Amino acid sequence: MKRLLFLLMVLAGGVAAAAFLVPTDAATVNGTSISQDTLHSDVNAIAKSPYYQCYLNSQEYISSQGTQELPPVVGAGTGQDTGDHPTATSAFTASYLSTEVGHQVVTQVADERDITVTPAQLQTARSDLTNQIGGVMTEILQTQQGQNVAYGCSLTGQAVTGEQVLDSMPASFVDAQVQFVATATVLQEDLSGVGSSDADLQSYFTAHRSQFDTVCLTAAGFSSETAAQDAAAQVAFGTPFATVAASANGGAQGCHLLPQFEAELPSGAGLGTLAIGAVSAPISLNGSYVLVQITKRTPSSFSQAKAAVANAVQQKGAGAIQKALTAAERRSSVSVNPQYGVWASVNASVLTPLTPDPTDVLNVSANEARSAPASVSGSAASGAGAGSSTSSSG
């Protein structure tokens, strides 16, 4: 599963809230309703799960390369009963609803193409989602936000696992996430021109068999490009690469599918065309440099390479799915309940309402600033940024 799909679904799940409000829709997309009940349920679940909030924060930070962050989930107010959770901010609710509109667009495009998801594809999607979350939670520890509890959810240096994150959410929420990931994945494979069935993937594998070979390699790490170049020169003058690797800052050996190694290296590393026994040029990697030598290369079976084949097909369809979804968004008719904001078609997002009606503020007193004069109304304080658009109590 590649990053595009997870950018599409990072906030996806359910949609809608508070059944006692009128109208009952949070939004409609081409006539299809996103109910308030579902939005309330899902935002409530997220507000109760620090792990899931950390995942969402980390995913946004990593995918934007540290340039963007999500609005805080939890607002200032609390429910009326002991043990109630804080209300959710209107900014997060609008952001969540924006993604749910996108979720609905993906589903509708898939329906237009008669996309169906098999139980096996759902199972794969569940595994992909779990692994993706785990990867995000591991990666965030390598960034400057690694010690920020709002991102890593831990100060022990131990990454929160994908299983822990998903176990903190209701089963219905997780099932909705899995369904979306499966649908988006199959749609991307379909738009690649290859298809998503086992027969389709088998045909692609047969036509590109060498791309999925199993390779064994030795890698040597160096602190500078000059050191790596000096080591490559030693090999050129007859020093065995194994000897050079043993004396390097870090050496490693292993055998995996070629795409697995390629995924760990920059796109220009040229590992796929490196001859057996040859040593690569210095490859810049995470602030250091590596030399790589392939010691063995053997054909893989389709069963061994199936996951890598599916991933390659998804990458082939990445541009096509982005184009299809952009076109679908532009032609879509979207309406948003003004309680949650206003739909902005230019950037396909829900803009947070600046001044909600007093009747839309669920707990006026909780949103009033402590030092505010008596003349400041609850709705005005809410418009200043402390308001909530849906209760997450209970």
Side-chain angles (χ1 to χ4, degrees), residues 60-72:
E60 182 72 10
Y61 181 86
I62 290 170
S63 64
S64 69
Q65 298 182 329
T67 62
Q68 298 181 34
E69 61 182 23
L70 291 177

Side-chain angles (χ1 to χ4, degrees), residues 65-389:
Q65 298 182 329
T67 62
Q68 298 181 34
E69 61 182 23
L70 291 177
V73 177
V74 175
T78 58
Q80 297 178 353
D81 301 322
T82 301
D84 283 352
H85 288 266
T87 56
T89 64
S90 55
F92 175 78
T93 305
S95 176
Y96 186 92
L97 186 55
S98 297
T99 303
E100 188 53 32
V101 170
H103 181 179
Q104 188 59 240
V105 170
V106 171
T107 300
Q108 291 177 2
V109 172
D111 289 343
E112 290 172 1
R113 299 183 66 86
D114 295 323
I115 296 295
T116 58
V117 175
T118 67
Q121 288 165 335
L122 282 172
Q123 184 176 0
T124 299
R126 188 175 295 272
S127 177
D128 286 343
L129 177 58
T130 303
N131 292 337
Q132 162 69 14
I133 293 173
V136 167
M137 299 311 293
T138 297
E139 187 174 350
I140 197 65
L141 295 184
Q142 311 305 316
T143 73
Q144 62 182 7
Q145 294 290 0
Q147 296 303 307
N148 185 336
V149 72
Y151 289 79
C153 262
S154 171
L155 297 178
T156 65
Q158 291 276 344
V160 176
T161 68
E163 289 85 354
Q164 287 175 308
V165 173
L166 293 180
D167 285 348
S168 72
M169 303 299 289
S172 59
F173 181 96
V174 177
D175 289 345
Q177 299 286 325
V178 170
Q179 179 68 49
F180 178 78
V181 171
T183 300
T185 299
V186 175
L187 175 61
Q188 189 162 344
E189 291 171 351
D190 182 74
L191 288 169
S192 73
V194 176
S196 59
S197 70
D198 281 357
D200 294 330
L201 298 180
Q202 174 79 64
S203 295
Y204 186 85
F205 170 76
T206 301
H208 305 83
R209 186 181 295 271
S210 65
Q211 295 180 13
F212 304 99
D213 285 349
T214 297
V215 298
C216 297
L217 59 75
T218 300
F222 303 90
S223 59
S224 69
E225 185 175 14
T226 299
Q229 290 172 337
D230 290 344
Q234 293 178 41
V235 175
F237 282 102
T239 303
F241 184 68
T243 301
V244 172
S247 61
N249 292 338
Q253 294 179 320
C255 300
H256 294 286
L257 290 173
L258 177 59
Q260 291 178 266
F261 283 128
E262 289 179 320
E264 300 298 323
L265 297 173
S267 58
L271 192 60
T273 58
L274 187 64
I276 295 175
V279 175
S280 71
I283 301 169
S284 177
L285 184 65
N286 297 329
S288 61
Y289 290 84
V290 296
L291 297 176
V292 174
Q293 181 188 58
I294 294 180
T295 58
K296 185 179 181 181
R297 182 166 178 163
T298 56
S300 305
S301 66
F302 175 66
S303 60
Q304 292 173 317
K306 184 178 177 181
V309 173
N311 194 51
V313 171
Q314 290 160 26
Q315 282 301 290
K316 183 177 173 64
I321 191 173
Q322 189 62 67
K323 182 177 180 180
L325 295 179
T326 298
E329 282 180 344
R330 288 174 178 169
R331 68 172 184 265
S332 291
S333 174
V334 179
S335 63
V336 173
N337 187 321
Q339 164 184 340
Y340 300 104
V342 178
W343 176 250
S345 58
V346 174
N347 57 0
S349 64
V350 178
L351 302 182
T352 306
L354 295 179
T355 309
D357 291 336
T359 56
D360 287 340
V361 180
L362 302 182
N363 188 348
V364 174
S365 61
N367 288 287
E368 292 177 340
R370 288 189 179 92
S371 59
S375 60
V376 177
S377 68
S379 59
S382 174
S388 64
S389 60

